[in-house]
Amino acid sequence: MQGRWVVAASTFLVWAIVAATCVYWGLKIASRSPPLAAPALVHTPAPVDPVSVARLMGWNPVQAVAVAAPSIASRFSLQGVVATGEQGGAALISVDGKPAKPFRTGSAIDGNLVLKSVESRKAVLSDGANGPAVVTLELPLRRP
């Protein structure tokens, strides 16, 4: 009977050591603190240079060309002329692509521009009644 107690006690002792080992390692793993991380480096992006980005996209400052303002003559189109005598007559003028309107010599066309004189195929616009000629409009030549 004594041999039976020795086997039971030694079996109990082995299982107690196994249980203690499991508890020990279970507590060790559960209480493990996270590993110390390397100090975090704060990365701030460099400021963006818009000129550099534009050059990257193909912009070349030498290629930039200023757009010229349209001339005054491009706003007017002479459609017809009736010349009578030395300073008389009328002209059919289209302003800014709108339908043409008749203007007599001396009448205001647009702002300060005045129809100064008309000839057989051209009309002269001046700045004010007695001002110098600003624009000379000519009728297009007819094709035979």
Side-chain angles (χ1 to χ4, degrees), residues 75-133:
R75 295 185 53 218
F76 303 103
S77 173
L78 184 61
Q79 304 293 321
V81 174
V82 177
T84 59
E86 199 144 314
Q87 291 294 323
L92 196 60
I93 300 175
S94 170
V95 180
D96 293 330
K98 296 178 184 170
K101 294 180 184 177
F103 294 99
R104 301 193 118 224
T105 6
S107 62
I109 295 177
D110 185 46
N112 289 339
L113 290 178
V114 173
L115 181 59
K116 185 172 185 175
S117 65
V118 285
E119 294 177 18
S120 61
R121 299 196 56 80
K122 69 179 178 179
V124 178
L125 305 178
S126 66
D127 194 18
N130 297 323

Side-chain angles (χ1 to χ4, degrees), residues 35-41:
L36 294 176
L41 298 175

Side-chain angles (χ1 to χ4, degrees), residues 6 16 64 67 92:
V6 172
V67 177
L92 196 60

Side-chain angles (χ1 to χ4, degrees), residues 1-100:
M1 178 120 174
Q2 192 177 8
R4 192 170 179 210
W5 282 100
V6 172
V7 173
S10 52
T11 304
F12 177 78
L13 185 64
V14 168
W15 282 110
I17 292 174
V18 169
T21 304
C22 288
V23 168
Y24 172 78
W25 284 109
L27 291 174
K28 187 90 166 164
I29 291 172
S31 68
R32 178 182 263 178
S33 62
L36 294 176
L41 298 175
V42 178
H43 178 70
T44 56
V48 177
D49 181 21
V51 174
S52 298
V53 172
R55 283 190 181 141
L56 181 68
M57 297 295 183
W59 176 72
N60 189 351
V62 176
Q63 292 177 349
V65 177
V67 177
S71 67
I72 294 176
S74 66
R75 295 185 53 218
F76 303 103
S77 173
L78 184 61
Q79 304 293 321
V81 174
V82 177
T84 59
E86 199 144 314
Q87 291 294 323
L92 196 60
I93 300 175
S94 170
V95 180
D96 293 330
K98 296 178 184 170

